[in-house]
Amino acid sequence: MSTFKAPKGTYDLTPPDSAIYLAVREAIAAPLKRSGYGYIETPGFEQVELFSRGVGESTDIVSKEMYTLTTRGGDELALRPEGTASVLRAALEANLHKAGNLPVKLWYSGSYYRYERPQAGRYRHFSQVGAEAIGAEDPALDAELIILAVDAYKSLGLSDFRLLLNSLGDKECRPAYREALQGFLRGLDLDEDTRRRIEINPLRVLDDKREAVQKQLVGAPMLRDHLCEACKAYHEEVRALLTAAGVDFVDDEKLVRGLDYYTRTTFEFVHGGLGSQSAVGGGGRYDGLSEMIGGPALPSVGWALGVDRTVLALKAEGIELDLPAATQVYAVPLGEEARKTLFGLVTELRRAGVATDFAFGGKGLKNAMKSANRSGARFALVAGERDLAEGVVQLKDLESGEQTAVAFDAVVSELLARQG
Ligand code: AMP
């Protein structure tokens, strides 16, 4: 232990568990990579205003949870609390939308920061893999993204998750609905904070988790009944495409999500084994965001899946990923001469693609064999002076205990063959 600990609300990823996180990121990215999404990376911090304008002043994310800082040069920056605003900013800055190929499809993977009250599944530093499809209004694009997320979860073996689906309407129908909802909400018995929310973001009140609030919401006007014809038709098509793809969903007319930029399609994936922090991923359409941050009209849709919670979901379902052994071969030299020869062989094996490790630090045979077993390697390569004199190394199968002498120049091909 050093004097220091990981800051509150954060945790370190260390081997062997860190391999699970890497595998989860890769599993989420795989369906995107084969669907035309290109990789994008943006800075860990941005101008505060990108988020206050993009995500919305009235959201918890911006008003309570952002890590902001003033640089020595006087810039107001924020550690990124989410990915969409940054990715759209970067796409606009690079003029990707002008290259003539819309939608611009991008995926990303990285760290995000929110000053939240830490608890199981809720951290101040967490990890997401996300995807954005920028510059097209097409229900098939919404469906594509949802299908790719479902396929990612399924490829990990997850099954105890549900897809909640809603439409938030657009600039045609939402304003009138918003007013109708405000009229209803103003008549309720609500605390100061919630009353303020009625004025800035009334839809969020529908999402209030408190029972006392939920009880009063019975009979509230529902957006479903206020959607314009275009939004209705759009949503019906998304639903039909999902059904045709064999994707189950639950219509959840109260699903609003915590970010202001959503229009039309919104969705969330919830997992049954995670307790109160059950959202493993979510997203939706954000047709107005580009204009909100000073860009042209670019209707877009995207999602972000939480890596931390996906790992928790795997644990909850008792799923062990089939990860390749970090080390396949472990080399154990006996004596100085053998050290040099075996170290050379180790390099050759690695270059041939065999994951190989070496007994460093001049360990004795007993200790070195213990390390070989701990490494998870299937084979040990052992060589002493007599072996060197005969031009061989001993190849030991650590599962069966069987040992055979193999000529130096046949070691690589022998191990490649045994790997199958
Ligand atoms: P959001 O943008 O808030 O919908 O977040 C998308 C996903 O990121 C969520 O469904 C979670 O899986 C994950 N996520 C968001 N906030 C946190 C957090 N504080 N700790 C861990 N995961 C989070």
Side-chain angles (χ1 to χ4, degrees):
M1 263 285 267
S2 81
T3 321
F4 302 103
K5 285 188 175 170
K8 187 174 169 190
T10 73
Y11 63 103
D12 304 303
L13 295 182
T14 53
D17 285 356
S18 49
I20 302 171
Y21 286 76
L22 265 186
V24 164
R25 289 191 186 108
E26 277 167 21
I28 299 175
L32 297 167
K33 288 191 211 168
R34 53 175 183 259
S35 309
Y37 289 75
Y39 179 65
I40 185 165
E41 215 169 290
T42 64
F45 48 80
E46 297 273 354
Q47 286 175 54
V48 172
E49 225 188 314
L50 174 68
F51 300 118
S52 46
R53 276 214 250 163
V55 179
E57 294 278 12
S58 70
T59 62
D60 284 353
I61 293 176
V62 166
S63 64
K64 298 185 189 151
E65 297 169 2
M66 216 149 55
Y67 281 89
T68 53
L69 60 115
T70 309
T71 65
R72 286 168 206 273
D75 293 330
E76 302 286 340
L77 302 179
L79 300 186
R80 58 184 181 189
E82 61 101 48
T84 303
S86 314
V87 167
L88 185 55
R89 193 267 310 138
L92 291 170
E93 192 169 333
N95 280 322
L96 300 184
H97 60 298
K98 289 188 183 156
N101 204 12
L102 295 177
V104 176
K105 302 209 280 189
L106 302 165
W107 76 273
Y108 58 88
S109 172
S111 292
Y112 297 85
Y113 307 86
R114 292 182 194 172
Y115 190 75
E116 303 208 66
R117 195 168 49 80
Q119 53 179 283
R122 196 205 252 178
Y123 313 104
R124 291 181 172 177
H125 164 260
F126 58 97
S127 163
Q128 290 182 336
V129 174
E132 315 290 348
I134 298 165
E137 189 185 289
D138 183 340
L141 198 53
D142 307 39
E144 165 176 293
L145 275 164
I146 293 174
I147 292 166
L148 295 176
V150 169
D151 287 354
Y153 288 139
K154 284 195 177 155
S155 76
L156 287 164
L158 290 169
S159 57
D160 187 14
F161 64 88
R162 287 185 309 151
L163 164 61
L164 311 179
L165 186 67
N166 194 20
S167 172
L168 290 181
D170 64 5
K171 57 178 187 295
E172 294 305 316
C173 52
R174 196 150 76 197
Y177 168 69
R178 194 172 182 271
E179 261 179 46
L181 181 63
Q182 280 175 325
F184 174 88
L185 294 173
R186 285 186 194 121
L188 303 183
D189 177 23
L190 298 166
D191 59 274
E192 192 70 11
D193 253 8
T194 315
R195 298 197 78 81
R196 210 169 306 127
R197 186 168 292 158
I198 296 174
E199 303 313 317
I200 40 182
N201 195 348
L203 272 74
R204 283 292 284 164
V205 181
L206 293 179
D207 220 11
D208 200 307
K209 302 283 184 278
R210 290 170 299 180
E211 206 176 314
V213 178
Q214 279 302 326
K215 262 195 207 144
Q216 298 190 65
L217 292 176
V218 178
M222 282 294 151
L223 186 50
R224 185 188 47 193
D225 307 317
H226 288 75
L227 289 182
C228 59
E229 286 310 313
C231 282
K232 247 189 239 168
Y234 194 97
H235 197 55
E236 278 318 307
E237 196 171 337
V238 173
R239 294 172 83 255
L241 289 167
L242 291 177
T243 303
V247 169
D248 295 331
F249 54 85
V250 181
D251 290 307
D252 181 355
E253 52 191 347
K254 286 191 178 161
L255 179 72
V256 173
R257 306 208 6 91
L259 303 91
D260 277 357
Y261 50 60
Y262 287 116
T263 50
R264 291 197 169 168
T265 314
T266 47
F267 52 90
E268 200 152 86
F269 293 96
V270 292
H271 191 271
L274 297 189
S276 66
Q277 301 305 308
S278 62
V280 283
R285 183 154 273 286
Y286 49 94
D287 292 342
L289 180 58
S290 174
E291 286 145 298
M292 282 155 75
I293 63 169
L298 281 173
S300 307
V301 56
W303 51 241
L305 309 190
V307 175
D308 312 75
R309 287 188 200 166
T310 304
V311 172
L312 292 175
L314 288 171
K315 285 194 188 130
E317 289 198 41
I319 297 169
E320 295 217 7
L321 297 180
D322 191 13
L323 301 175
T327 304
Q328 295 163 300
V329 178
Y330 196 95
V332 176
L334 306 171
E336 202 42 41
E337 270 312 298
R339 236 170 90 77
K340 285 182 199 134
T341 310
L342 268 191
F343 189 70
L345 263 180
V346 164
T347 303
E348 258 187 75
L349 279 165
R350 289 172 175 168
R351 287 178 177 158
V354 182
T356 309
D357 208 350
F358 185 70
F360 289 101
K363 287 185 191 133
L365 178 62
K366 209 169 142 205
N367 250 335
M369 288 312 288
K370 258 193 209 158
S371 299
N373 280 310
R374 271 196 216 114
S375 77
R378 172 74 194 269
F379 300 103
L381 281 180
V382 187
E385 254 147 58
R386 197 175 337 131
D387 299 310
L388 294 189
E390 290 171 15
V392 300
V393 295
Q394 302 296 326
L395 173 60
K396 185 168 183 184
D397 184 327
L398 293 172
E399 260 173 39
S400 65
E402 188 191 318
Q403 187 166 310
T404 34
V406 181
F408 286 163
D409 53 9
V411 168
V412 173
S413 56
E414 176 67 25
L415 279 166
L416 285 173
R418 290 212 192 195
Q419 266 191 322

